[in-house]
Amino acid sequence: MSGSFPPLRDELRGIEPYGAPQLSLEQAPVQLNVNENPYGPSPEAAADIARAVGEAAVSLNRYPDREFVELRAALAAYLDTSGGSGITPEMVWAANGSNEVMLQLLQAFGGPGRVALSFAPTYSMYPEYARDTMTEWVAGHRAEDFSLDLDAARRLVEERRPSVVLLPSPNNPTGTALPPEAVTMLCEAAASYEPAGLVVVDEAYGEFRRTGTPSALELLPRHRNLVVTRTMSKAFALAGARLGYLAADPTICDAIRVVRLPYHLSAVTQATALAALRHAPELLGKVDDLRVERDATVAWLREQGLEVADSDANFALFGRFADRHAVWQGLVDRGVLIRETGPDGWLRVSIGTTEEMAAFRKALLETLHETTETTKPTKELA
């Protein structure tokens, strides 16, 4: 056999798979790098999930409901309590994590000759969704404070005429939320050409938004080309279950059916998500505590002379460091794992328990005071 093997697509050769660094609990007892909810399901919720999965297990010889009708109804009801109004089951779609939801959107509405667009810094998986669906990837840029320059954003959309605009709100990795006027402007810009483009507002961290920050769900009745995605991985503390979903015009959900794999949501996944939704108030009960801890963390980091992006998520992006990897390694050496992501010089810390955040603060102070001048922040410590 001659030549290279296996016969991988040329544009995929040499690319490392996506993924945050994974260290064992022995290496890093405090894990604050993937924006998980540090508070697991309560014993009552876990018992209900186990019971529901047990009931599903006796019929695993049969395929699951491929339209997951009961789950869509439950998700629609939940969204009507979480920023939406009048959302029906026909407006809801779900898949194995919001990653698969996004991939299905690009499979259905992207492809060769089409453009997907976002504004950097943005979620690092978006260009991979575009690559995997052979969609051209275009990245505009955010302002210095990570907000959107609305005039520049409109011009870029009108110039490149994307089929899909991907906008995390709160943004990952910065935590910045989009104001409603930005969503409206982009929806109108994407509707100004033929075929019109979709604007996908990714609210993976939507439940963590600060009081007074609205959800894009409010705008669904006004913009037919708006899609709002959510996940149960973050606020619901259900990252291990892999359930993401969207709300949109029913015609968009119908179009996704063309590209979805048959029976893509297992009976076990459906049972788990339904049980979790029955315990929504309980599972979401720690969200307020995490908001308080986030705001305290942002304030503390700023007191140390660091720059910190305003955050409506369950993480904080902070910097700037001449050598961020040295700071990241210093934290790992002290048993704390955070994420080396975002623009050069910045690091991201997920918000953990009170004890975990105390360990993070201690480790960061030790690291900053013991590293060389080239690894200290560009501003002097307070």
Side-chain angles (χ1 to χ4, degrees):
M1 183 178 296
S2 60
S4 57
F5 188 86
L8 190 65
R9 284 164 43 190
D10 288 343
E11 66 271 24
L12 300 181
R13 293 189 184 281
I15 293 177
E16 292 293 324
Y18 170 86
Q22 289 186 314
L23 299 178
S24 69
L25 288 173
E26 289 74 21
Q27 294 171 295
V30 179
Q31 308 233 344
L32 303 171
N33 68 323
V34 288
N35 304 335
E36 296 162 324
N37 188 328
Y39 301 103
S42 68
E44 294 78 12
D48 196 10
I49 291 170
R51 180 194 57 78
V53 170
E55 291 178 358
V58 300
S59 59
L60 286 179
N61 58 310
R62 302 294 183 185
Y63 286 114
D65 175 8
R66 67 171 178 261
E67 300 300 328
F68 46 96
V69 174
E70 186 180 1
L71 177 56
R72 291 167 76 188
L75 288 168
Y78 166 69
L79 288 175
D80 270 354
T81 71
S82 184
S85 178
I87 295 174
T88 65
E90 295 76 22
M91 297 171 63
V92 174
W93 185 255
N96 293 284
S98 55
N99 303 98
E100 187 178 37
V101 170
M102 292 290 181
L103 185 62
Q104 290 176 340
L105 284 166
L106 267 292
Q107 287 174 316
F109 301 105
R114 295 193 169 198
V115 169
L117 182 148
S118 191
F119 298 89
T122 192
Y123 183 37
S124 57
M125 276 297 295
Y126 290 163
E128 296 200 21
Y129 302 144
R131 178 201 69 199
D132 293 347
T133 57
M134 290 173 280
T135 306
E136 182 184 354
W137 174 249
V138 173
H141 297 283
R142 291 175 177 261
E144 184 71 15
D145 65 354
F146 304 126
S147 65
L148 277 185
D149 180 328
L150 298 190
D151 290 335
R154 181 191 298 109
R155 287 194 298 269
L156 184 61
V157 169
E158 291 173 347
E159 174 191 346
R160 297 310 310 265
R161 302 163 71 93
S163 297
V164 181
V165 180
L166 297 168
L167 294 166
S169 181
N171 185 39
N172 184 6
T174 67
T176 317
L178 285 171
E181 56 268 26
V183 178
T184 288
M185 180 275 294
L186 289 166
C187 285
E188 291 173 349
S192 67
Y193 46 84
E194 286 291 338
L198 298 183
V199 174
V200 181
V201 178
D202 180 357
E203 291 192 345
Y205 303 95
E207 286 90 348
F208 295 100
R209 63 190 188 277
R210 289 173 288 182
T211 302
T213 302
S215 167
L217 291 169
E218 296 180 6
L219 300 174
L220 281 173
R222 293 176 52 187
H223 302 293
R224 194 182 185 194
N225 62 334
L226 174 62
V227 178
V228 182
T229 66
R230 290 277 185 97
T231 181
M232 296 186 77
S233 293
K234 308 301 182 183
F236 269 89
L238 219 64
R242 310 304 300 127
L243 196 290
Y245 55 105
L246 64 75
D249 187 276
T251 59
I252 293 174
C253 297
D254 288 342
I256 293 173
R257 285 190 178 88
V258 177
V259 300
R260 63 101 185 268
L261 295 174
Y263 310 107
H264 70 291
L265 276 184
S266 76
V268 170
T269 298
Q270 293 183 44
T272 299
L274 280 165
L277 287 164
R278 289 194 289 269
H279 293 264
E282 179 186 330
L283 290 172
L284 296 170
K286 290 292 188 180
V287 168
D288 285 343
D289 293 342
L290 289 168
R291 286 196 194 106
V292 170
E293 192 68 55
R294 172 201 62 207
D295 293 342
T297 299
V298 169
W300 180 83
L301 287 167
R302 287 173 175 164
E303 289 170 2
Q304 310 317 306
L306 296 164
E307 293 182 63
V308 190
D310 289 337
S311 178
D312 279 278
N314 68 331
F315 55 80
L317 187 78
F318 66 99
R320 306 180 185 183
F321 302 102
D323 185 351
R324 69 175 178 183
H325 182 73
V327 177
W328 178 88
Q329 186 63 57
L331 288 168
V332 169
D333 292 343
R334 291 165 173 83
V336 178
L337 177 63
I338 66 170
R339 188 74 182 271
E340 189 175 2
T341 189
D344 287 345
W346 295 79
L347 294 166
R348 191 191 72 194
V349 59
S350 306
I351 304 304
T353 65
T354 301
E355 295 76 17
E356 288 173 333
M357 299 315 293
F360 161 72
R361 291 192 295 271
K362 180 177 183 292
L364 182 61
L365 283 178
E366 290 178 359
T367 298
L368 293 179
H369 286 295
E370 291 179 13
T371 50
T372 65
E373 288 297 322
T374 59
T375 61
K376 286 184 179 179
T378 54
K379 291 184 179 180
E380 287 297 318
L381 294 179

